[in-house]
Amino acid sequence: MNKRMYDVSDPSDQVLHATKLAQNGPRRHVRGLEELDGWVRSQAYNDTIAYISSTSMAIQGIKLNSDYPVSKQILRLCDIFDGLEMLLAESTPKFNSSDTLLESQQTSARAYRTWTRHMQQFVFSILDEALQPECKHINELGQYLRRSFGCSSNLEFGPANELMFLFFLCSLFRAGILVAEDTVAAALLLFHRYIRLVRRLILTYSLSLTKNSRSSMDDYYVMPYIWGAAQLSLDAPFSPMQSELPLTLETHGQDYMLLEIIDHLQKTRGFQLNHSAFQLWCILSAPTWPQVYGGIERSYVSNVLASFETVENAIFCELMSFKSVPAFTMEQRTYLGRRFSEDRKSSMRSQGEMPVAVHKCVSQQPSLFFGFHEKKSTDEESDDEEHNPLWIVQRRNTLEDNSDTSTAVYFRDAKTIKDDLPPPSSSEQSS
């Protein structure tokens, strides 16, 4: 299969764009309050909201343990969390009975930084194995994923890290790695695995909650509340006000994300819901689940997604672009409950018209940015690396802080392309 390559002597827009992506990679754009307006007008912002809405409509009435389609690609991506859980078991902090509170905190901090360092290396190598061989976005996807598990410098986790995992999921659809039929499994299997791992990280390393003055939900994450309410918006076996009843939690606790959260809050905070999560308790006083979803979703978009604290450290690249979209672009509305009936879902399935989560990205990024297209050897059986155009570029972005490991791209058996020209082949010398 021929790989696209650009002639570096041609100063076209495609060459300049590809060179910019290779040199910079994912980077921050929101560095001040004045740049928030650019964020809410960006392609990434609109794609994030569209992905949340389309997924919410797709998972209505579907339980966590339901028989929904799970593709081989989803299973390969689940291997990421299998490996990260093994790393967590190996990096569990070991305390002594004589340790003081400060010493225990220092032990947890060292163990968490060890896990983070191993995670950063593991993420890129496992993505290289799990994704399609022709995928050109491993670096971008890996940068989103590695930022989804908290901040090792401040020992914090918050909605900003959760947003990076949303970027990761949305990018999988934008890159064509996942398709419309994977929408349900991406939320109820892949995202659910992520939230369960995050809970273990928070409890194991005693991570603190990132402060967000505009967040109305006093929790480390918000999306399980949104998609948990979306699950219950169709054919719910109980009303919102019955959510915290012991019988409801015992009967349906393994079927819905929202009930898992309520059970987890009561066990970790040790109080009833009106004391441990007052905002959630107030929202659950709504009579129907679509109204609960609407209250949580509007609060997330207005107070969390548009907050400077959430997007201050967010990074953007080609799949999740900071480029502005036209002003007339309308955000996708979410139709839940009766407005999205089972009859409509059945007709869509019968016609093969499953809703697309987000539009696929038409990438301008080539498989190889730099270097020269060498003349292939006349000997077809020759496996000389000099004639192999499928090089993997390993680079380190020196524009960011040297202590920030997000700029490192980890590929096993990577080969660095030097600035000097490759030696001519024997056939060229003879000619």
Side-chain angles (χ1 to χ4, degrees), residues 343-361:
D343 294 336
R344 182 179 176 184
K345 293 174 66 177
S346 300
S347 64
M348 292 175 64
R349 291 194 185 101
S350 62
Q351 298 174 8
E353 298 178 355
M354 292 298 293
V356 180
V358 287
H359 295 291
K360 186 177 179 180
C361 173

Side-chain angles (χ1 to χ4, degrees), residues 41 101 112 193 207 217 226 231 253 261 264 361 378 394 403 412:
R41 296 176 183 272
L101 178 61
Y112 177 57
R193 290 288 304 272
L207 302 183
M217 303 296 293
I226 296 178
Q231 280 184 279
I261 294 176
H264 179 72
C361 173
T378 55
Q394 182 186 37
S403 63
R412 293 180 303 179

